[in-house]
């Protein structure tokens, strides 16, 4: 996949720029309006109303919001999906995942922005985003923990399915044979890399419940036979050895500097000489006086604004650990990503 195709999915962001439009779109998915219109391109208002049991004024209101959001054509009386929205529907998984994510954590922004800025500890205690990403429920396999963990993994998996394409377009992975993806989640990143590189095998290292769900996620696909999962074992901090590539995808920003450095040290120790560490991470947000207003769909990622580092912060750490040939580039997706590679001497 080339860099242009790898960015094609970003067209979904146009439909979640503001809260009213994005919320109307969520409702249109929930009520079946989108499926109805996608399947019947020349249907009428009455057919839509009868099929979905919506009252006339409610449906008019919803369609008005969808028209304003570019989902429905403004030039026709009968509701018709716009060509731009039909194109975005090709990326329905990430479209729905981003809408869901934004809706879930919008109250954190609306109700807790002051705490986020002035009292981060209070924000962490009350924010829905931290209740969603509750890693303490990913340690022991119980039905409740599996359900809770699967909920946030749906989001990380949808994002990774597309972000991986941009990483693959920006770096030549063909030279590697065995990769270790630390915090590799559902195995989606490994899966995409294995699909693009038939000689590649992967180890995904993550928390036990995440590994259990991940193993099921890759079980049904051909590349699944080249992906194994290793659960993090607190008593055994060393990362699994025997890999020529260790990757950290959207993982290190989760950790303060000392833990970030420790992960990179463990990666170095697990790599054979000449092996590569690769970091693919969100960079710092371009929120400044010249920037456009922050789109609603970006709110969930924005809440982590303190966690995103400069490339220099990672490069300095890699250099301190003795890595060589350190190289950093930027990949522009819904936010600037940084792609850093470095070699163990
Ligand atoms: C922000 S998510 C990123 C997941 C995935 N790499 C992606 O790009 O979407 C961080 C991942 O690190 C995992 N994780 C948390 N603590 C960990 C630990 N001590 N060792 C390994 N993985 C850990 C989480 O379960 C989660 O899958």
């Amino acid at each position: 996949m080339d860099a242009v195709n790898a960015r094609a999915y970003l067209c979904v962001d146009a439909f979640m720029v503001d809260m009213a439009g994005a919320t109307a779109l969520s409702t249109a998915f929930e009520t079946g309006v989108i499926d109805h219109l996608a399947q019947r391109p020349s249907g009428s208002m009455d057919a839509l109303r009868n099929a979905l049991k919506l009252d006339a004024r409610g449906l008019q209101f919803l369609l008005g919001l969808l028209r304003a959001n570019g989902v429905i054509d403004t030039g026709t009386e009968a509701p018709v999906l716009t060509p731009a929205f039909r194109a975005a529907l090709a990326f329905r998984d990430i479209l729905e995942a981003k809408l869901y994510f934004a809706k879930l954590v919008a109250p954190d922004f609306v109700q807790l922005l002051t705490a986020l800025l002035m009292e981060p500890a209070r924000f962490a205690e009350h924010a829905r985003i931290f209740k969603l990403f509750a890693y303490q429920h990913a340690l022991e396999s119980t039905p409740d923990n599996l359900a809770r963990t699967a909920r946030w993994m749906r989001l990380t998996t949808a994002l990774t399915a597309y972000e991986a394409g941009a990483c693959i377009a920006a770096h030549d992975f063909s030279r590697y044979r065995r990769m270790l993806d630390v915090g590799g989640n559902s195995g989606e990143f490994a899966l995409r890399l294995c699909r693009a590189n038939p000689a590649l095998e992967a180890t995904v290292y993550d928390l036990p419940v995440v590994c259990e769900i991940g193993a099921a996620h890759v079980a049904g696909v051909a590349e699944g036979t080249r992906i194994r999962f290793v659960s993090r074992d607190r008593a055994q901090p060393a990362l699994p050895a025997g890999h020529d590539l260790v990757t950290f995808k959207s993982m290190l920003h989760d950790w303060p500097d000392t833990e970030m450095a420790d992960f990179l040290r463990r990666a170095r120790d697990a790599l054979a000489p000449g092996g590569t560490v690769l970091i693919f991470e969100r960079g710092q947000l371009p929120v400044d006086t010249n920037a456009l207003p922050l789109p609603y769909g970006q709110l969930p990622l924005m809440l982590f604004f303190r966690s995103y580092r400069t490339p220099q912060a990672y490069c300095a750490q890699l250099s301190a650990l003795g890595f060589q040939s350190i190289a950093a580039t930027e990949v522009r997706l819904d936010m600037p990503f940084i792609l850093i590679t470095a070699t163990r001497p």
Side-chain angles (χ1 to χ4, degrees), residues 315-326:
C315 292
Q317 195 53 57
L318 289 165
S319 178
L321 288 165
F323 279 97
Q324 293 180 347
S325 307
I326 303 168

Side-chain angles (χ1 to χ4, degrees), residues 186-263:
S186 61
E188 186 66 28
F189 189 58
L191 177 65
R192 299 284 163 167
L193 262 60
C194 284
R195 188 167 291 162
N197 298 277
L200 185 63
E201 293 185 3
T203 304
V204 174
Y205 178 84
D206 210 300
L207 303 176
V209 177
V210 176
C211 286
E212 186 177 337
I213 297 169
H217 175 68
V218 303
V221 289
E223 295 79 14
T225 55
R226 287 188 273 136
I227 302 172
R228 70 172 182 138
F229 286 79
V230 174
S231 291
R232 194 276 316 251
D233 175 357
R234 266 216 189 95
Q236 173 54 268
L239 294 174
H243 303 90
D244 55 3
L245 172 68
V246 177
T247 53
F248 293 92
K249 148 108 191 15
S250 307
M251 199 280 178
L252 293 171
H253 73 265
D254 256 0
W255 300 88
D257 288 348
T258 43
E259 278 89 348
M260 178 268 279
D262 192 54
F263 271 114

